[in-house]
Amino acid sequence: MTPEKNGGTAVLPGSYDPVTFGHLDIISRAANAFDNVIVGVVNQPVRKQQTVFSAEERVAFIEAEVAEYGNVQVKPFDTLLVDFAREHGAKAIVKGLRAISDFEYEFEMNQLNRKLAADIESVYLMASPEYSFLSSSGIKELATFGAGIEDLVPPYVAKALHDRLSRQGR
Ligand code: ADP
């Protein structure tokens, strides 16, 4: 028997610059738990510098991977997260938690978002052990120095990253 899903819609925000197998693990787990999942790709991340890939590119990378699910959509956004969630009728914001370092930032954001929208619950999925060390910034660092990243990101992302970083003269 297929378990009933009645969690409604969840948004999964992030910069996804670029998407990694760690992100995709969280997306697939959320897709199992919620009726609908909207992956929200932050257009211009506040706490990060210039992104390597445009919002359109970051969206396209994720879309290629989630097409098989049927209940996952990918959308860029540049508004307040709770407004983006409301716009899509989401009851939950889902985030992946890797380590203590993620916790501190997420704890602060949780308090702020709760103040703005007490009706939208934030839900945290613990990173799977095999991806708990994996971050987009780590991937970019590895790619910059020519290390293999093929087992950490989808093949076309690895290629795009190598092309982009070497095009920048590194
Ligand atoms: P990053 O820190 O890798 O740049 P993002 O800002 O794109 O990540 O993160 C989007 C969401 O995915 C966040 O909730 C983040 O904590 C989560 N996430 C990122 N990498 C992983 C991972 N390897 N395992 C679980 N969750 C992750």
Side-chain angles (χ1 to χ4, degrees):
M1 200 174 86
T2 320
E4 288 278 325
K5 290 186 279 188
N6 56 8
T9 299
V11 296
L12 275 64
S15 36
Y16 303 100
D17 184 43
V19 70
T20 69
F21 286 151
H23 294 128
L24 292 169
D25 177 60
I26 296 292
I27 294 170
S28 84
R29 288 161 59 194
N32 275 329
F34 291 87
D35 297 313
N36 295 299
V37 168
I38 316 260
V39 179
V41 176
V42 183
N43 210 337
Q44 289 189 310
V46 176
R47 77 181 165 121
K48 310 224 166 128
Q49 292 148 358
Q50 189 69 38
T51 55
V52 171
F53 296 103
S54 69
E56 292 72 28
E57 289 171 314
R58 287 177 278 140
V59 166
F61 288 150
I62 305 170
E63 274 176 344
E65 290 295 310
V66 303
E68 64 186 279
Y69 294 126
N71 65 338
V72 180
Q73 285 174 278
V74 190
K75 293 176 187 287
F77 76 104
D78 52 15
T79 57
L80 211 49
L81 174 57
V82 293
D83 290 341
F84 177 72
R86 281 225 175 89
E87 192 187 315
H88 292 92
K91 290 202 283 188
I93 293 168
V94 173
K95 312 229 41 197
L97 268 194
R98 282 160 294 194
I100 310 288
S101 50
D102 272 347
F103 179 83
E104 229 176 290
Y105 174 78
E106 294 300 345
F107 193 69
E108 184 185 324
M109 287 313 294
N110 180 289
Q111 308 295 323
L112 293 173
N113 284 334
R114 191 191 300 228
K115 215 172 152 63
L116 293 169
D119 53 317
I120 301 176
E121 198 59 65
S122 292
V123 177
Y124 301 88
L125 300 183
M126 293 298 161
S128 295
E130 63 271 40
Y131 303 128
S132 59
F133 62 93
L134 188 52
S135 68
S136 296
S137 50
I139 288 292
K140 285 181 274 196
E141 183 143 351
L142 290 182
T144 301
F145 295 106
I149 52 173
E150 285 70 20
D151 52 345
L152 303 173
V153 296
Y156 48 88
V157 172
K159 184 175 182 316
L161 206 40
H162 282 305
D163 290 352
R164 185 64 50 94
L165 293 177
S166 59
R167 259 218 301 282
Q168 287 175 350
R170 276 179 261 187

